[in-house]
């Protein structure tokens, strides 16, 4: 009996460790992704270009990483001071994030199909059309199911569920509006964010002469590197 209790306790400890480390990995991944998106948007002038600079030694988007970290910390402090139940808050955030990820994957599949229909490629028909259609069908079904069963993802009253459901779609509308504004202001390469790459600043040009790989997004390392 004692041996079973010890094994049960050890198993709980292992599960707790795996759970905590998975939370950490998830948070670190989110921070890294947001840092790169922030850097790319800053390079294009959508965000202040002062945060578009990359680290002289590591080549990482350190200013964007610090900015994202500060914003996340501020949001965390507001949530802590609000006195909300942490379990309910985490469940709601996870549910909205999961729904947003499904919507993002659906849009990505659509974008792949449209892009390769407009631009001929030597890639196989399976990779440019069949596989994206299969992915769109599967993920679209999951998205539709989640839309009609939002109460299973997020616990709350109907008004709260409606607001949370509209957040991803409101973000899409805001993005389209911003793209239209950019098209009216920038006549060249406005459809190629991250590739137009206007000059970051005069100081960065001198750095690029010594380390030419700093301006290449492919050379970016993790902000924590």
């Amino acid at each position: 009996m004692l041996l079973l209790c010890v094994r049960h306790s050890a198993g709980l400890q292992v599960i707790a460790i795996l759970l905590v480390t998975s939370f950490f990995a998830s948070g670190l991944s989110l921070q890294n992704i947001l840092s790169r998106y922030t850097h790319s948007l800053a390079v294009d002038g959508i965000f202040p270009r002062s945060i578009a600079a990359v680290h002289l030694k590591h080549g990482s988007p350190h200013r964007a990483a610090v900015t994202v970290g500060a914003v996340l910390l501020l949001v965390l402090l507001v949530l802590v001071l609000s006195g909300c139940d942490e379990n309910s808050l985490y469940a709601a955030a996870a549910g909205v994030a999961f729904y947003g990820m499904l919507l993002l994957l659906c849009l990505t599949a659509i974008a792949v199909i449209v892009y390769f229909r407009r631009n001929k490629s030597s890639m196989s028909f399976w990779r440019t059309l069949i596989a994206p259609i299969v992915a769109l069908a599967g993920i679209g079904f999951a998205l539709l199911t989640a839309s009609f069963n939002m109460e299973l993802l997020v616990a709350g009253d109907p008004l709260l569920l409606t607001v949370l459901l509209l957040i991803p779609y409101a973000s899409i509308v805001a993005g389209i509006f911003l793209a239209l504004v950019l098209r009216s202001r920038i006549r060249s390469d406005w459809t190629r964010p991250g590739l137009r790459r206007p000059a970051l600043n005069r100081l960065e040009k001198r750095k690029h002469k010594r380390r030419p790989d700093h301006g290449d997004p492919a050379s970016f390392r993790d902000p924590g590197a």
Side-chain angles (χ1 to χ4, degrees):
M1 185 68 179
L2 179 61
L3 182 59
L4 290 177
C5 292
V6 171
R7 289 180 177 178
H8 179 70
S9 177
L12 290 178
Q13 294 300 321
V14 171
I15 292 175
I17 293 174
L18 293 176
L19 184 63
V20 172
T21 53
S22 66
F23 285 164
F24 175 78
S26 176
L28 181 61
S29 174
L30 175 64
Q31 204 271 349
N32 286 341
I33 293 172
L34 292 178
S35 298
R36 279 156 176 75
Y37 274 115
T38 301
H39 170 81
S40 180
L41 292 172
V43 166
D44 289 312
I46 300 174
F47 288 166
R49 289 200 178 102
S50 58
I51 63 176
V54 296
H55 197 278
L56 178 61
K57 179 180 179 181
H58 301 293
S60 58
H62 65 297
R63 292 188 182 179
V66 172
T67 302
V68 169
V71 172
L72 292 178
L73 179 61
L74 179 61
V75 172
L76 181 62
L77 289 176
V78 171
L79 295 176
V80 170
L81 295 177
S82 66
C84 297
D85 179 66
E86 60 274 11
N87 293 324
S88 300
L89 184 62
Y90 180 81
V96 174
F98 174 75
Y99 187 87
M101 180 59 69
L102 288 178
L103 181 59
L104 180 62
L105 292 176
C106 279
L107 293 176
T108 301
I110 295 174
V112 170
I113 296 172
V114 173
Y115 176 83
F116 284 109
R117 295 288 70 81
R118 293 179 178 178
N119 302 271
K120 300 302 180 181
S121 172
S122 58
M123 300 176 65
S124 65
F125 193 66
W126 165 261
R127 298 176 64 182
T128 59
L129 183 62
I130 304 300
I133 290 179
V134 173
L136 179 61
I139 300 173
F141 176 77
L143 179 64
L144 187 63
T145 303
S147 300
F148 287 105
N149 298 275
M150 196 66 180
E151 68 278 2
L152 299 179
L153 293 177
V154 181
D157 58 83
L159 179 60
L160 176 62
L161 295 178
T162 302
V163 171
L164 294 177
L165 184 64
L166 291 177
I167 289 178
Y169 296 98
S171 301
I172 294 175
V173 173
I176 294 174
F177 175 77
L178 180 58
L180 294 176
V181 172
L182 290 177
R183 183 173 65 176
S184 64
R185 294 181 179 179
I186 306 172
R187 293 300 179 181
S188 61
D189 288 341
W190 74 275
T191 60
R192 305 173 64 200
L195 299 179
R196 182 168 50 84
R197 302 193 62 79
L200 303 183
N201 50 51
R202 301 296 183 226
L203 180 60
E204 285 298 316
K205 289 184 178 180
R206 295 204 307 267
K207 295 177 181 179
H208 291 170
K209 290 181 180 179
R210 288 182 291 172
R211 297 290 298 275
D213 60 329
H214 283 176
D216 182 7
S219 68
F220 290 163
R221 304 173 186 174
D222 288 342

